[in-house]
Amino acid sequence: MRTVTVVGASLAGLHAARGLRDQGFDGRLVIVGEERHRPYDRPPLSKTFLTGEGLAAEGEPDGGLGPLALTDADDEAELDAEWLLGVRADRLDPSAGAVGLADGRTLRTDGVVIATGAAPRTLRATALPGVHTLRTLDDARRLRAELRAGAARVVVVGAGFIGAEVASSCASLGLDVTVVEAAPLPLVPQLGERMAQACASLHAAHGVTLLCGTGVATLRGTDRVTGVELADGRVLPADVVVVGVGVRPVTGWLEDSGLALDDGVLCDEGCATALPGVVAVGDVARLARPGTAATVRAEHWTSAAEQGAVAARNLLAGTTLESFGALPYFWSDQYGARIQFAGRREPGDTVRIAEGDPESGGGFLAVYEREGTPTAVLAVNRPKPFTRLRRELARAHRPVAR
């Protein structure tokens, strides 16, 4: 391969680019990014960035990434890539070896890494001033400015990890916060009912109202949002509304490419698509699980970072030599508590409390088991024992090398 194009200047795209160089690719490397920024760390956007602990400098040419930056000058010199930022890829023609850009340019390429990530799902009237989604640095800057401009009442729609983190940050700023969740209890698919209840109790313990089992009928307001009308008829006054109801993979630009798409780009267990010279990584990639008929799309920082090296190796080899078999891992910081989860919980798994007491509101360590075998681990403020158990799980589920 003489040229490889990475579409998506994201965490996943950056690690794939590094993987290509680490494995000896010395050809032309092009990185295309819809945002105007170099790759940056997204997890702080809903936490320290909103509360002012991760402020980026505003006077730099790209608006400043500060501590969010994932590269520095030395990293970029070593990467030796062409950066095409602030432009969106809008088509892929694998047979012609071409990536088309929205500004009319066409990039000729021998290999493509798809790393376009995901975009937030929205509600009707999301464009109303005062209503926000949170995915990008620019999203976070707009939200932070409004929170500091006199907002007193915040309604967060969606009690997943992003919604919970935003609620926690807003509460720490002294704002009146209500979280609305359509499900009877948030995070049950990921954690199971008992552990989900333990994590949900953090909201009430820190003065945040959690309303479950009702959706949003509409958003009220004319010039800007003034309230949230719920499906049960209640109206919640709001100066700011943050919508965190999940994301959708960014695959619209691939619809005529010949790639198999199904809530993401379908890949084998090594991030390779069915088309030669095309791999996918990060939130946009739906990978086959080794040894099963299942596919999975992981929206986690660690998966996005670790898939890059696997995808790069398989792309350069022209075949799948290595599978990505790392166990899912994610974390969330809420109300001063660190929540960590690793593994794969399935319905029917039992939960054993190894340390602490989830009902007490303090930290705890929980182990999920299937027929006596550990399948996953959840910790709240138990980082050391969690890390030990996570390593044990990982050793039992090592990726397959060919």
Side-chain angles (χ1 to χ4, degrees), residues 242 245 378:
V242 183
V245 292
L378 168 70

Side-chain angles (χ1 to χ4, degrees), residues 66-92:
L68 301 178
L70 292 174
T71 63
D72 58 24
D74 290 340
D75 294 328
E76 292 177 15
E78 185 176 346
L79 199 59
D80 189 25
E82 298 176 35
W83 296 86
L84 302 181
L85 301 177
V87 61
R88 176 174 51 85
D90 65 0
R91 61 196 181 281
L92 171 64

Side-chain angles (χ1 to χ4, degrees), residues 337-362:
R338 168 148 287 201
I339 301 170
Q340 295 172 283
F341 183 93
R344 292 189 177 93
R345 185 199 77 86
E346 302 288 350
D349 287 1
T350 58
V351 180
R352 174 172 56 85
I353 305 303
E355 289 186 18
D357 179 6
E359 279 71 38
S360 72

Side-chain angles (χ1 to χ4, degrees), residues 87-357:
V87 61
R88 176 174 51 85
D90 65 0
R91 61 196 181 281
L92 171 64
D93 185 350
S95 62
V99 173
L101 305 183
D103 62 7
R105 285 179 288 176
T106 297
L107 304 176
R108 299 298 175 182
T109 189
D110 304 302
V112 176
V113 179
I114 299 169
T116 43
R121 298 185 183 277
T122 58
L123 303 175
R124 290 190 300 273
T126 298
L128 194 64
V131 181
H132 299 262
T133 55
L134 181 56
R135 179 70 179 180
T136 69
L137 174 59
D138 293 336
D139 291 340
R141 283 181 170 151
R142 286 189 290 268
L143 176 56
R144 187 178 67 189
E146 288 216 334
L147 295 177
R148 294 173 175 274
R153 298 164 301 186
V154 177
V155 175
V156 179
V157 182
F161 286 120
I162 293 296
E165 289 167 1
V166 170
S168 170
S169 296
C170 290
S172 74
L173 294 172
L175 305 179
D176 180 280
V177 184
T178 300
V179 180
V180 178
E181 171 57 49
L185 189 66
L187 301 173
V188 170
Q190 294 88 348
L191 306 180
E193 186 171 347
R194 183 185 177 192
M195 295 298 96
Q197 181 61 62
C199 292
S201 68
L202 289 169
H203 293 292
H206 291 83
V208 170
T209 301
L210 174 63
L211 303 178
C212 291
T214 184
V216 173
T218 189
L219 302 179
R220 291 192 172 187
T222 304
D223 296 326
R224 65 172 292 114
V225 72
T226 59
V228 177
E229 182 178 336
L230 303 182
D232 61 14
R234 285 179 290 177
V235 177
L236 307 176
D239 303 306
V240 169
V241 174
V242 183
V243 179
V245 292
V247 298
R248 52 176 177 77
V250 178
T251 58
W253 68 287
L254 298 168
E255 289 179 357
D256 297 323
S257 66
L259 286 170
L261 306 176
D262 181 10
D263 187 37
V265 178
L266 292 180
C267 304
D268 68 9
E269 65 272 21
C271 304
T273 73
L275 296 180
V278 181
V279 298
V281 291
D283 293 358
V284 75
R286 177 168 288 278
L287 272 60
R289 278 179 55 179
T292 75
T295 60
V296 62
R297 188 172 63 81
E299 298 172 4
H300 308 314
W301 191 100
T302 305
S303 297
E306 294 179 348
Q307 286 173 1
V310 174
R313 182 184 182 200
N314 294 335
L315 177 64
L316 294 176
T319 188
T320 298
L321 299 177
E322 182 178 350
S323 297
F324 179 76
L327 282 178
Y329 165 68
F330 57 84
W331 77 93
S332 179
D333 295 315
Q334 305 171 24
Y335 306 106
R338 168 148 287 201
I339 301 170
Q340 295 172 283
F341 183 93
R344 292 189 177 93
R345 185 199 77 86
E346 302 288 350
D349 287 1
T350 58
V351 180
R352 174 172 56 85
I353 305 303
E355 289 186 18
D357 179 6

Side-chain angles (χ1 to χ4, degrees), residues 353 355-358 360-365 379-382:
I353 305 303
E355 289 186 18
D357 179 6
S360 72
F364 65 89
L365 181 75
V380 176
N381 289 339
R382 290 291 191 276

